[in-house]
Amino acid sequence: QVQLVESGGGLVEPGGSLTLSCAASGFTNLYAMSWYRQAPAKERELVAQISTDGTSSYYITSVKGRFTGSRDNAKNTVYLQMVSLKPEDTAVYYCALGVPPMLWGQGTQVTVSS
C-alpha cells in the first residue's frame, strides 16, 4: 500500500526551529514532492516543492530563506527544515506526492507560540 507518513511537528517558541520528515513506502518510482500547510479557517497553501533528485526547489515568499526542503531517496524520505519560526507559521503541515498532488500524508501539527 502506498503511504506517506509525516512526523516532527510540535510546539515551539517564536524564533525556534523544527524539522519535519515525510517517509514514503509502497512505490519505487520517483516523483516531485511538495509541502503544504493549512491553518484553521484558511485555505491549504503550497509551501515548497522539491524536484525528483532534490537539486531544484521552490518556496513561497513568506518562508524563503527560513525553510529548506530536501530529500534522501535512498531512505525514501523528504524533509522540511524550518528556522526562525513565526506565529503565522502555525498550521497543519502535509507532504504530497506528485505535481499536481496525487497522494497526501496525514499531516503534522506545528504550533509557534510564546
Side-chain angles (χ1 to χ4, degrees):
Q1 183 177 12
V2 178
Q3 293 186 78
L4 302 176
V5 180
E6 297 102 329
S7 62
L11 174 64
V12 297
E13 295 185 351
S17 302
L18 208 59
T19 298
L20 307 181
S21 299
C22 175
S25 63
F27 60 92
T28 58
N29 292 335
L30 293 177
Y31 296 87
M33 300 289 291
S34 299
W35 286 98
Y36 286 76
R37 67 185 181 186
Q38 186 168 21
K42 294 184 178 180
E43 296 182 348
R44 186 172 298 185
E45 66 174 347
L46 175 67
V47 176
Q49 292 179 316
I50 304 97
S51 64
T52 55
D53 61 4
T55 61
S56 179
S57 59
Y58 162 83
Y59 305 93
I60 58 173
T61 301
S62 61
V63 309
K64 194 172 184 179
R66 300 189 298 116
F67 290 13
T68 303
S70 62
R71 63 194 297 164
D72 186 339
N73 289 334
K75 296 182 178 180
N76 297 314
T77 302
V78 178
Y79 305 93
L80 184 66
Q81 183 180 4
M82 306 181 292
V83 300
S84 301
L85 284 162
K86 305 174 180 179
E88 51 263 45
D89 295 319
T90 296
V92 177
Y93 283 71
Y94 302 87
C95 66
L97 175 74
V99 178
M102 64 181 75
L103 181 69
W104 299 86
Q106 84 286 356
T108 185
Q109 177 72 47
V110 172
T111 302
V112 185
S113 177
S114 60

